[in-house]
PDB file of all heavy atoms in Angstrom:
ATOM      1  N   PRO A 132     -12.177   4.663  13.338  1.00  0.00           N
ATOM      2  CA  PRO A 132     -12.098   4.840  14.789  1.00  0.00           C
ATOM      3  C   PRO A 132     -12.985   5.981  15.268  1.00  0.00           C
ATOM      4  O   PRO A 132     -13.374   6.854  14.490  1.00  0.00           O
ATOM      5  CB  PRO A 132     -10.620   5.176  15.007  1.00  0.00           C
ATOM      6  CG  PRO A 132     -10.238   5.897  13.760  1.00  0.00           C
ATOM      7  CD  PRO A 132     -11.000   5.204  12.649  1.00  0.00           C
ATOM      8  N   GLN A 133     -13.303   5.960  16.538  1.00  0.00           N
ATOM      9  CA  GLN A 133     -14.020   7.073  17.154  1.00  0.00           C
ATOM     10  C   GLN A 133     -12.987   8.057  17.703  1.00  0.00           C
ATOM     11  O   GLN A 133     -12.367   7.818  18.732  1.00  0.00           O
ATOM     12  CB  GLN A 133     -14.944   6.573  18.272  1.00  0.00           C
ATOM     13  CG  GLN A 133     -16.160   5.833  17.753  1.00  0.00           C
ATOM     14  CD  GLN A 133     -17.212   5.647  18.840  1.00  0.00           C
ATOM     15  OE1 GLN A 133     -16.992   5.945  20.007  1.00  0.00           O
ATOM     16  NE2 GLN A 133     -18.370   5.157  18.445  1.00  0.00           N
ATOM     17  N   VAL A 134     -12.801   9.139  16.987  1.00  0.00           N
ATOM     18  CA  VAL A 134     -11.843  10.170  17.384  1.00  0.00           C
ATOM     19  C   VAL A 134     -12.539  11.156  18.319  1.00  0.00           C
ATOM     20  O   VAL A 134     -13.707  11.492  18.120  1.00  0.00           O
ATOM     21  CB  VAL A 134     -11.299  10.901  16.139  1.00  0.00           C
ATOM     22  CG1 VAL A 134     -10.374  12.036  16.533  1.00  0.00           C
ATOM     23  CG2 VAL A 134     -10.575   9.916  15.238  1.00  0.00           C
ATOM     24  N   ASP A 135     -11.840  11.583  19.335  1.00  0.00           N
ATOM     25  CA  ASP A 135     -12.400  12.555  20.288  1.00  0.00           C
ATOM     26  C   ASP A 135     -11.853  13.942  19.992  1.00  0.00           C
ATOM     27  O   ASP A 135     -10.708  14.270  20.339  1.00  0.00           O
ATOM     28  CB  ASP A 135     -12.067  12.143  21.730  1.00  0.00           C
ATOM     29  CG  ASP A 135     -12.764  10.864  22.137  1.00  0.00           C
ATOM     30  OD1 ASP A 135     -13.936  10.684  21.742  1.00  0.00           O
ATOM     31  OD2 ASP A 135     -12.148  10.027  22.834  1.00  0.00           O
ATOM     32  N   ILE A 136     -12.677  14.761  19.333  1.00  0.00           N
ATOM     33  CA  ILE A 136     -12.308  16.148  19.033  1.00  0.00           C
ATOM     34  C   ILE A 136     -12.723  17.027  20.208  1.00  0.00           C
ATOM     35  O   ILE A 136     -13.848  16.931  20.702  1.00  0.00           O
ATOM     36  CB  ILE A 136     -12.988  16.623  17.737  1.00  0.00           C
ATOM     37  CG1 ILE A 136     -12.532  15.774  16.549  1.00  0.00           C
ATOM     38  CG2 ILE A 136     -12.684  18.096  17.476  1.00  0.00           C
ATOM     39  CD1 ILE A 136     -11.072  15.861  16.228  1.00  0.00           C
ATOM     40  N   THR A 137     -11.837  17.894  20.655  1.00  0.00           N
ATOM     41  CA  THR A 137     -12.123  18.763  21.808  1.00  0.00           C
ATOM     42  C   THR A 137     -12.006  20.235  21.416  1.00  0.00           C
ATOM     43  O   THR A 137     -11.520  20.564  20.328  1.00  0.00           O
ATOM     44  CB  THR A 137     -11.141  18.467  22.952  1.00  0.00           C
ATOM     45  OG1 THR A 137      -9.804  18.716  22.485  1.00  0.00           O
ATOM     46  CG2 THR A 137     -11.245  17.006  23.400  1.00  0.00           C
ATOM     47  N   ASP A 138     -12.462  21.082  22.329  1.00  0.00           N
ATOM     48  CA  ASP A 138     -12.323  22.540  22.169  1.00  0.00           C
ATOM     49  C   ASP A 138     -12.889  23.032  20.844  1.00  0.00           C
ATOM     50  O   ASP A 138     -12.260  23.831  20.133  1.00  0.00           O
ATOM     51  CB  ASP A 138     -10.845  22.944  22.282  1.00  0.00           C
ATOM     52  CG  ASP A 138     -10.229  22.530  23.606  1.00  0.00           C
ATOM     53  OD1 ASP A 138     -10.956  22.567  24.616  1.00  0.00           O
ATOM     54  OD2 ASP A 138      -9.038  22.172  23.622  1.00  0.00           O
ATOM     55  N   TYR A 139     -14.068  22.554  20.486  1.00  0.00           N
ATOM     56  CA  TYR A 139     -14.665  22.977  19.230  1.00  0.00           C
ATOM     57  C   TYR A 139     -15.691  24.098  19.408  1.00  0.00           C
ATOM     58  O   TYR A 139     -16.251  24.577  18.427  1.00  0.00           O
ATOM     59  CB  TYR A 139     -15.303  21.796  18.507  1.00  0.00           C
ATOM     60  CG  TYR A 139     -16.268  20.979  19.345  1.00  0.00           C
ATOM     61  CD1 TYR A 139     -17.568  21.407  19.556  1.00  0.00           C
ATOM     62  CD2 TYR A 139     -15.856  19.783  19.914  1.00  0.00           C
ATOM     63  CE1 TYR A 139     -18.448  20.651  20.312  1.00  0.00           C
ATOM     64  CE2 TYR A 139     -16.719  19.018  20.677  1.00  0.00           C
ATOM     65  CZ  TYR A 139     -18.020  19.456  20.874  1.00  0.00           C
ATOM     66  OH  TYR A 139     -18.885  18.708  21.639  1.00  0.00           O
ATOM     67  N   LYS A 140     -15.943  24.489  20.642  1.00  0.00           N
ATOM     68  CA  LYS A 140     -16.833  25.623  20.884  1.00  0.00           C
ATOM     69  C   LYS A 140     -16.005  26.863  21.220  1.00  0.00           C
ATOM     70  O   LYS A 140     -14.943  26.768  21.844  1.00  0.00           O
ATOM     71  CB  LYS A 140     -17.793  25.324  22.029  1.00  0.00           C
ATOM     72  CG  LYS A 140     -18.829  24.256  21.711  1.00  0.00           C
ATOM     73  CD  LYS A 140     -19.787  24.066  22.881  1.00  0.00           C
ATOM     74  CE  LYS A 140     -20.838  23.003  22.578  1.00  0.00           C
ATOM     75  NZ  LYS A 140     -21.769  22.784  23.715  1.00  0.00           N
ATOM     76  N   GLY A 141     -16.535  28.014  20.791  1.00  0.00           N
ATOM     77  CA  GLY A 141     -15.845  29.260  21.105  1.00  0.00           C
ATOM     78  C   GLY A 141     -14.610  29.520  20.274  1.00  0.00           C
ATOM     79  O   GLY A 141     -13.788  30.374  20.627  1.00  0.00           O
ATOM     80  N   VAL A 142     -14.448  28.819  19.158  1.00  0.00           N
ATOM     81  CA  VAL A 142     -13.294  29.034  18.290  1.00  0.00           C
ATOM     82  C   VAL A 142     -13.444  30.384  17.594  1.00  0.00           C
ATOM     83  O   VAL A 142     -14.494  30.706  17.036  1.00  0.00           O
ATOM     84  CB  VAL A 142     -13.172  27.918  17.239  1.00  0.00           C
ATOM     85  CG1 VAL A 142     -11.983  28.176  16.321  1.00  0.00           C
ATOM     86  CG2 VAL A 142     -13.039  26.566  17.925  1.00  0.00           C
ATOM     87  N   VAL A 143     -12.383  31.202  17.635  1.00  0.00           N
ATOM     88  CA  VAL A 143     -12.417  32.542  17.041  1.00  0.00           C
ATOM     89  C   VAL A 143     -11.974  32.469  15.586  1.00  0.00           C
ATOM     90  O   VAL A 143     -10.920  31.911  15.274  1.00  0.00           O
ATOM     91  CB  VAL A 143     -11.504  33.513  17.815  1.00  0.00           C
ATOM     92  CG1 VAL A 143     -11.524  34.895  17.160  1.00  0.00           C
ATOM     93  CG2 VAL A 143     -11.954  33.619  19.269  1.00  0.00           C
ATOM     94  N   ILE A 144     -12.788  33.029  14.708  1.00  0.00           N
ATOM     95  CA  ILE A 144     -12.483  33.064  13.284  1.00  0.00           C
ATOM     96  C   ILE A 144     -12.520  34.516  12.816  1.00  0.00           C
ATOM     97  O   ILE A 144     -13.500  35.231  13.051  1.00  0.00           O
ATOM     98  CB  ILE A 144     -13.503  32.238  12.481  1.00  0.00           C
ATOM     99  CG1 ILE A 144     -13.306  30.751  12.745  1.00  0.00           C
ATOM    100  CG2 ILE A 144     -13.379  32.507  10.991  1.00  0.00           C
ATOM    101  CD1 ILE A 144     -12.008  30.188  12.228  1.00  0.00           C
ATOM    102  N   ASN A 145     -11.446  34.939  12.158  1.00  0.00           N
ATOM    103  CA  ASN A 145     -11.395  36.278  11.577  1.00  0.00           C
ATOM    104  C   ASN A 145     -11.975  36.243  10.180  1.00  0.00           C
ATOM    105  O   ASN A 145     -11.576  35.417   9.353  1.00  0.00           O
ATOM    106  CB  ASN A 145      -9.953  36.788  11.534  1.00  0.00           C
ATOM    107  CG  ASN A 145      -9.374  36.975  12.921  1.00  0.00           C
ATOM    108  OD1 ASN A 145     -10.008  37.586  13.784  1.00  0.00           O
ATOM    109  ND2 ASN A 145      -8.179  36.447  13.149  1.00  0.00           N
ATOM    110  N   GLN A 146     -12.910  37.146   9.917  1.00  0.00           N
ATOM    111  CA  GLN A 146     -13.595  37.111   8.634  1.00  0.00           C
ATOM    112  C   GLN A 146     -14.048  38.510   8.239  1.00  0.00           C
ATOM    113  O   GLN A 146     -14.398  39.326   9.096  1.00  0.00           O
ATOM    114  CB  GLN A 146     -14.807  36.179   8.725  1.00  0.00           C
ATOM    115  CG  GLN A 146     -15.342  35.764   7.372  1.00  0.00           C
ATOM    116  CD  GLN A 146     -15.974  34.390   7.439  1.00  0.00           C
ATOM    117  OE1 GLN A 146     -15.420  33.474   8.040  1.00  0.00           O
ATOM    118  NE2 GLN A 146     -17.121  34.232   6.825  1.00  0.00           N
ATOM    119  N   ALA A 147     -14.020  38.764   6.914  1.00  0.00           N
ATOM    120  CA  ALA A 147     -14.503  40.051   6.416  1.00  0.00           C
ATOM    121  C   ALA A 147     -16.005  40.160   6.648  1.00  0.00           C
ATOM    122  O   ALA A 147     -16.737  39.173   6.495  1.00  0.00           O
ATOM    123  CB  ALA A 147     -14.172  40.200   4.936  1.00  0.00           C
ATOM    124  N   ARG A 148     -16.465  41.352   7.007  1.00  0.00           N
ATOM    125  CA  ARG A 148     -17.891  41.543   7.287  1.00  0.00           C
ATOM    126  C   ARG A 148     -18.695  41.435   5.991  1.00  0.00           C
ATOM    127  O   ARG A 148     -18.377  42.116   5.011  1.00  0.00           O
ATOM    128  CB  ARG A 148     -18.122  42.904   7.927  1.00  0.00           C
ATOM    129  CG  ARG A 148     -19.584  43.133   8.353  1.00  0.00           C
ATOM    130  CD  ARG A 148     -19.754  44.499   8.982  1.00  0.00           C
ATOM    131  NE  ARG A 148     -18.986  44.597  10.211  1.00  0.00           N
ATOM    132  CZ  ARG A 148     -19.419  44.142  11.390  1.00  0.00           C
ATOM    133  NH1 ARG A 148     -20.606  43.558  11.481  1.00  0.00           N
ATOM    134  NH2 ARG A 148     -18.674  44.287  12.464  1.00  0.00           N
TER     135      ARG A 148
END
Side-chain angles (χ1 to χ4, degrees):
Q133 288 194 353
V134 176
D135 293 321
I136 298 297
T137 60
D138 302 325
Y139 52 80
K140 291 183 180 179
V142 179
V143 179
I144 289 293
N145 295 311
Q146 197 150 316
R148 185 180 296 277

